[in-house]
Amino acid sequence: MALVLGLTGSIASGKSTISLMFDDFNIPVVDADKLSREVVMPGEKAYEQIVETFGQEILRDDKALDRKKLGNIIFNDESKRKQLNGIVHPAVREKMLVRRDGYVESGTECVVLDIPLLFESKLTDFVDKTVVVYVDEDVQVQRLMERDEYSEEEAYQRINAQISVKEKANLADAVIDNNGTKQESYRQLEDLLKKWNVNEAKEA
Ligand SMILES: CC(C)(COP(=O)(O)OP(=O)(O)OC[C@H]1O[C@@H](n2cnc3c(N)ncnc32)[C@H](O)[C@@H]1O)[C@@H](O)C(=O)NCCC(=O)NCCS
Ligand SMILES: Nc1ncnc2c1ncn2[C@@H]1O[C@H](COP(=O)(O)OP(=O)(O)OP(=O)(O)O)[C@@H](O)[C@H]1O
């Protein structure tokens, strides 16, 4: 039976960076952020529900969602965030479980579910073990501001919409400290997979 890993962290802690590394080990990754973009494409049910709830003003000229605008609304207002979560999360969860089961049935040794809100949305029952990608808050703010060109205020609004990465690290079965270089994080991942006996794929 495949080992299902739940990979999480806080915004900009490095989940996507680490999740790309699983490719070297031939371990498939199901990316919840990616699915959350798919389910809100024009024509999808969640898209219609979002427009109904938030109005035409959150659309771009080409009718796709203006993600920056919607982000500024929901990261400023918890009740609006809950409304959006109520629309998007069920659709993401459904797709994620179908993909997970597909990989498990294909006979893979391990599959990763990359879920930013793994703990907040209480999805830990869907995985066997949890891995948190950890960074100190000052590093996180810096990387977030640089990557997305947010002001410090915008960065903190997003960070504060989640359980702190410190708390997540305390809840995890394993922690990858991503304060250092990407290479240092890679080594930690390698060691972890060895410890959990899922390193055969690389050596095959
Ligand atoms: C508000 C939206 C449109 C902003 O889009 P944008 O392209 O700017 O950000 P992106 O989707 O890449 O998310 C970046 C990160 O923000 C954090 N984040 C996103 N949504 C949320 C949320 N509802 N609550 C807390 N943190 C969130 C996550 O750490 C995520 O990795 C988008 O994040 C969204 O639709 N969010 C609701 C769905 C959701 O919860 N997605 C995350 C897990 S499935
Ligand atoms: N070890 C590292 N050293 C330097 N920069 C890093 C490191 N890890 C990640 N980064 C950079 O920090 C930023 C955030 O990383 P990444 O996008 O992987 O985070 P994330 O947790 O997936 O974010 P989100 O929650 O928004 O999806 C990116 O610009 C990435 O290139």
Side-chain angles (χ1 to χ4, degrees), residues 9-12 15 32-33 36-37 40 50 65-68 70-72 74-75 81 84-85 88-89 92 115-117 120 147-148 150 158 161-162:
S10 241
I11 184 163
K15 291 175 305 297
D33 272 342
S36 81
R37 286 164 190 267
V40 300
I50 291 170
L65 286 189
D66 186 331
R67 302 182 65 87
K68 171 107 188 179
L70 187 55
N72 281 338
I74 66 120
F75 289 115
R81 190 160 67 243
L84 181 66
N85 290 349
V88 180
H89 289 181
V92 170
I115 315 176
L117 303 175
E120 290 87 341
R147 188 194 61 185
D148 293 340
Y150 289 140
R158 284 159 175 79
Q162 298 185 7

Side-chain angles (χ1 to χ4, degrees), residues 1-138:
M1 199 56 182
L3 177 71
V4 182
L5 296 184
L7 180 72
T8 193
S10 241
I11 184 163
S13 69
K15 291 175 305 297
S16 307
T17 302
I18 303 297
S19 82
L20 283 173
M21 297 175 185
F22 283 94
D23 195 42
D24 275 10
F25 301 88
N26 291 322
I27 296 172
V29 176
V30 183
D31 181 340
D33 272 342
K34 212 161 138 195
L35 295 178
S36 81
R37 286 164 190 267
E38 286 177 20
V39 302
V40 300
M41 298 292 243
E44 297 287 335
K45 190 171 129 215
Y47 170 88
E48 307 295 342
Q49 289 173 310
I50 291 170
V51 179
E52 239 167 68
T53 310
F54 293 92
Q56 298 277 338
E57 53 273 22
I58 49 92
L59 297 183
R60 300 187 321 205
D61 289 345
D62 65 359
K63 300 290 175 201
L65 286 189
D66 186 331
R67 302 182 65 87
K68 171 107 188 179
K69 213 179 233 178
L70 187 55
N72 281 338
I73 295 172
I74 66 120
F75 289 115
N76 249 320
D77 183 333
E78 195 182 340
S79 74
K80 294 221 164 96
R81 190 160 67 243
K82 282 191 176 148
Q83 269 182 303
L84 181 66
N85 290 349
I87 296 170
V88 180
H89 289 181
V92 170
R93 184 182 304 200
E94 198 184 315
K95 279 201 173 210
M96 201 166 59
L97 294 181
V98 169
R99 301 252 170 118
R100 177 198 66 175
D101 294 347
Y103 283 123
V104 170
E105 277 158 27
S106 78
T108 186
E109 188 189 1
C110 176
V111 56
V112 174
L113 306 189
D114 176 353
I115 315 176
L117 303 175
L118 179 70
F119 293 116
E120 290 87 341
S121 300
K122 303 188 170 47
L123 298 177
T124 46
D125 284 350
F126 294 134
V127 303
D128 299 316
K129 283 188 190 292
T130 55
V131 180
V132 163
V133 182
Y134 176 82
V135 282
D136 293 327
E137 197 175 276
D138 53 335

Side-chain angles (χ1 to χ4, degrees), residues 103-201:
Y103 283 123
V104 170
E105 277 158 27
S106 78
T108 186
E109 188 189 1
C110 176
V111 56
V112 174
L113 306 189
D114 176 353
I115 315 176
L117 303 175
L118 179 70
F119 293 116
E120 290 87 341
S121 300
K122 303 188 170 47
L123 298 177
T124 46
D125 284 350
F126 294 134
V127 303
D128 299 316
K129 283 188 190 292
T130 55
V131 180
V132 163
V133 182
Y134 176 82
V135 282
D136 293 327
E137 197 175 276
D138 53 335
V139 177
Q140 182 187 13
V141 175
Q142 210 53 47
R143 287 183 185 166
L144 180 55
M145 287 172 66
E146 258 165 49
R147 188 194 61 185
D148 293 340
E149 297 181 343
Y150 289 140
S151 65
E152 195 168 337
E153 193 193 352
E154 286 175 318
Y156 273 109
Q157 274 169 355
R158 284 159 175 79
I159 289 172
N160 293 334
Q162 298 185 7
I163 299 178
S164 79
V165 68
K166 225 176 211 159
E167 267 177 82
K168 290 188 189 189
N170 284 332
L171 295 169
D173 293 310
V175 175
I176 293 178
D177 184 329
N178 190 36
N179 282 303
T181 63
K182 290 181 187 177
Q183 203 178 11
E184 282 166 342
S185 296
Y186 186 91
R187 285 209 199 94
Q188 294 175 59
L189 177 64
E190 223 170 10
D191 288 346
L192 185 63
L193 293 174
K194 242 178 227 157
K195 186 173 133 193
W196 287 344
N197 293 317
V198 280
N199 57 336
E200 289 96 356

